[in-house]
């Protein structure tokens, strides 16, 4: 999102942490495809008493083990515009106040609780904006995706094996086998689709498999129930096209490195979630880049293209499509938190459109 997001611990482009962004940004799209869930045989996995999926805090560990590196992260995060805060007020003369919530596309009950004041703002809103309003109808979403099989599957007669060296194929097969997924069962799938299954802790996958709604979906579902107007900023096909636009080798390396992460996936999820709950979203990308560089020699390969297509380009689309809706006022807008900060983030883009935006908390 925690895209999706916020970046869980998978890497979509030759690095560990960067796939997190892709997931937080598009996680709901992937899980909306219920037919793919049949590929997973999840063992029961229980969350901790606070709703987390366990794991260790990488930030706390870094503070102790490498304070110089931690200081560098703090400095980098502090330089990111709008890096503190997940809940923002949107004002414009002559129209009712609107609100912007940065989300994680996960089912963690602490995330579902939302920051102080957000629930009240939601109740008083007349219109709710999410990334894709198609998220409220899983069957319709699945049918739409089935009309675009080339976005999810290799449809040219090839399989993943055709793009791998023998040693890479062995790594992939062994890593998937450990997670109960035979390579033969998914060899025709685009590698980024497979990554989405293995880049989350088991307890998050189990909650979703049991029917729990992630935050964005719950907000959209409640909007429909309460008779609010529900608007989407992108179609699911557009979101899938953004993912599919990146080279297959980029995604394959990401998938292999994700499988090699092991328990680190839970560590990254815990750390990014804790940062999100502390509203320190500006720290997330620097942390994930740092983790990526530590784990992968090729951490910077393809990153600029990834960030451009998955974050920056989509920010511009979201801002353009949100503008006329926000001009009406009384809107509650919820999108992945990593779309908010930065000079090309939604907050700065909307300010350029004449809106006054300020952090609520």
């Amino acid at each position: 999102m925690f895209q999706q997001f916020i970046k869980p611990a998978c890497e979509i482009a030759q690095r560990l942490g960067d796939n997190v962004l892709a997931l937080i940004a598009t996680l709901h799209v992937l899980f909306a495809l219920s037919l793919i869930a049949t590929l997973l045989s999840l063992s029961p996995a229980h969350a901790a008493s606070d709703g987390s999926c366990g794991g260790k805090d990488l930030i706390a560990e870094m503070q102790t083990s490498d304070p110089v590196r931690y200081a560098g992260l703090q400095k980098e995060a502090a330089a990111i515009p709008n890096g503190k805060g997940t809940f923002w007020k949107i004002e414009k003369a002559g129209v009712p106040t609107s609100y912007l919530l940065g989300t994680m596309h996960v089912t963690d009950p602490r995330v579902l609780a939302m920051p102080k004041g957000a629930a009240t703002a939601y109740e008083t809103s007349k219109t709710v904006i999410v990334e894709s309003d198609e998220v409220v109808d899983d069957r319709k979403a699945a049918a739409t995706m089935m009309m675009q099989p080339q976005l999810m599957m290799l449809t040219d007669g090839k399989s993943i094996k055709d793009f791998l060296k023998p040693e890479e194929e062995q790594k992939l097969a062994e890593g998937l086998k450990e997670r109960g997924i035979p390579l033969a069962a998914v060899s025709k799938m685009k590698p980024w689709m497979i990554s989405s299954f293995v880049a989350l802790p088991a307890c998050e996958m189990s909650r979703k498999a049991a029917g729990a709604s992630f935050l964005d979906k719950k907000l959209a579902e409640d909007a429909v129930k309460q008779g609010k107007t529900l608007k989407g900023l992108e179609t699911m096909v557009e979101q899938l096209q953004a993912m599919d636009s990146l080279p297959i080798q980029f995604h394959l390396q990401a998938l292999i490195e994700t499988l090699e992460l092991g328990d680190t996936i839970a560590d990254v999820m815990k750390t990014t979630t804790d940062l999100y709950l502390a509203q320190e979203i500006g720290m997330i990308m620097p942390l994930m880049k740092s983790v990526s560089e530590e784990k992968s020699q090729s951490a910077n390969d393809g990153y600029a293209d990834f960030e451009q297509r998955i974050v920056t380009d989509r920010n511009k689309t979201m801002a353009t499509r949100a503008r006329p809706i926000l001009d009406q006022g009384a809107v509650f807008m919820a999108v992945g938190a990593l779309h908010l900060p930065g000079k090309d983030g939604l907050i700065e883009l909307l300010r350029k459109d004449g809106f006054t935006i300020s952090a609520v908390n």
Side-chain angles (χ1 to χ4, degrees):
M1 334 1 212
F2 231 22
Q3 134 242 357
Q4 102 259 332
F5 315 293
I6 264 183
K7 306 168 37 169
C10 150
E11 169 147 21
I12 205 165
Q14 298 191 2
R15 77 196 128 261
L16 313 162
D18 294 340
N19 196 36
V20 174
L21 173 58
L23 287 172
I24 293 306
T26 63
L27 193 57
H28 52 299
V29 177
L30 307 178
F31 284 123
L33 308 177
S34 57
L35 70 160
I36 295 176
T38 60
L39 294 173
L40 303 174
S41 54
L42 295 172
S43 301
H46 302 288
S49 59
D50 65 354
S52 70
C53 289
K56 62 186 178 185
D57 187 335
L58 297 176
I59 291 286
E61 185 178 75
M62 189 185 301
Q63 286 177 294
T64 302
S65 64
D66 196 344
V68 174
R69 183 180 170 202
Y70 174 68
L73 286 183
Q74 283 188 308
K75 182 177 180 180
E76 185 177 352
I80 297 175
N82 312 307
K84 292 183 180 290
T86 57
F87 185 43
W88 300 75
K89 181 186 296 185
I90 303 176
E91 298 173 293
K92 196 170 189 178
V95 298
T97 299
S98 294
Y99 293 89
L100 172 62
L101 175 66
T103 67
M104 284 188 74
H105 306 319
V106 295
T107 61
D108 189 318
R110 298 170 301 164
V111 173
L112 295 178
M114 298 193 295
K116 182 179 179 181
T120 299
Y122 181 86
E123 292 302 321
T124 58
S125 67
K126 295 182 179 179
T127 300
V128 173
I129 297 176
V130 292
E131 290 179 24
S132 174
D133 57 3
E134 295 168 291
V135 73
V136 296
D137 190 336
D138 289 349
R139 291 184 179 181
K140 182 178 179 180
T144 299
M145 295 304 98
M146 291 300 290
M147 296 297 290
Q148 301 278 346
Q150 76 281 0
L151 295 178
M152 301 175 294
M153 310 293 292
L154 296 167
T155 57
D156 55 1
K158 294 184 177 181
S159 75
I160 283 180
K161 297 179 182 180
D162 294 314
F163 301 92
L164 296 170
K165 297 175 183 178
E167 61 271 21
E168 293 173 330
E169 182 180 337
Q170 182 178 355
K171 283 184 180 180
L172 181 57
E174 291 175 353
L176 289 172
K177 184 178 180 180
E178 290 178 1
R179 290 161 174 78
I181 307 175
L183 175 57
V186 296
S187 63
K188 292 290 187 179
M189 295 179 80
K190 294 289 179 73
W192 66 268
M193 294 288 291
I194 305 172
S195 293
S196 70
F197 304 136
V198 301
L200 289 177
C203 86
E204 174 65 24
M205 294 288 285
S206 294
R207 283 193 298 238
K208 184 63 186 70
S213 292
F214 54 91
L215 179 55
D216 307 60
K217 184 175 182 180
K218 184 177 186 303
L219 292 172
E221 291 170 337
D222 288 348
V224 173
K225 292 176 183 176
Q226 296 174 22
K228 300 178 185 291
T229 300
L230 178 64
K231 296 284 187 179
L233 299 176
E234 303 171 301
T235 67
M236 289 188 172
V237 167
E238 288 174 328
Q239 292 176 325
L240 292 175
Q241 286 172 335
M243 291 291 292
D244 194 51
S245 67
L246 296 166
I248 190 169
Q249 289 296 341
F250 179 90
H251 289 304
L252 277 171
Q253 187 63 35
L255 174 57
I256 292 171
E257 291 186 1
T258 298
L259 291 168
E260 292 176 339
L261 273 177
D263 293 340
T264 305
I265 289 175
D267 299 340
V268 177
M269 175 62 84
K270 172 177 173 54
T271 307
T272 54
T273 303
D274 287 350
L275 287 172
Y276 171 81
L277 293 170
Q279 303 202 40
E280 293 285 351
I281 57 176
M283 177 69 83
I284 293 169
M285 288 293 283
L287 171 69
M288 292 303 99
K289 290 178 186 177
S290 178
V291 172
S292 299
E293 291 165 0
E294 181 182 30
K295 298 287 185 179
S296 173
Q297 295 274 327
S298 56
N300 292 319
D301 294 349
Y303 176 76
D305 193 29
F306 166 83
E307 188 170 29
Q308 181 68 40
R309 299 187 192 190
I310 304 301
V311 184
T312 304
D313 289 348
R314 293 179 61 221
N315 288 349
K316 294 175 181 177
T317 297
M318 289 182 188
T320 298
R321 294 177 180 174
R323 186 186 308 127
I325 307 173
L326 292 170
D327 279 337
Q328 303 303 310
V331 172
F332 189 95
M333 180 175 171
V335 299
L338 285 187
H339 290 290
L340 273 56
K343 62 183 179 61
D344 296 314
L346 271 177
I347 292 173
E348 287 302 307
L349 292 176
L350 291 174
R351 282 174 175 157
K352 292 177 181 178
D353 285 335
F355 296 98
T356 298
I357 304 182
S358 55
V360 174
N361 299 316

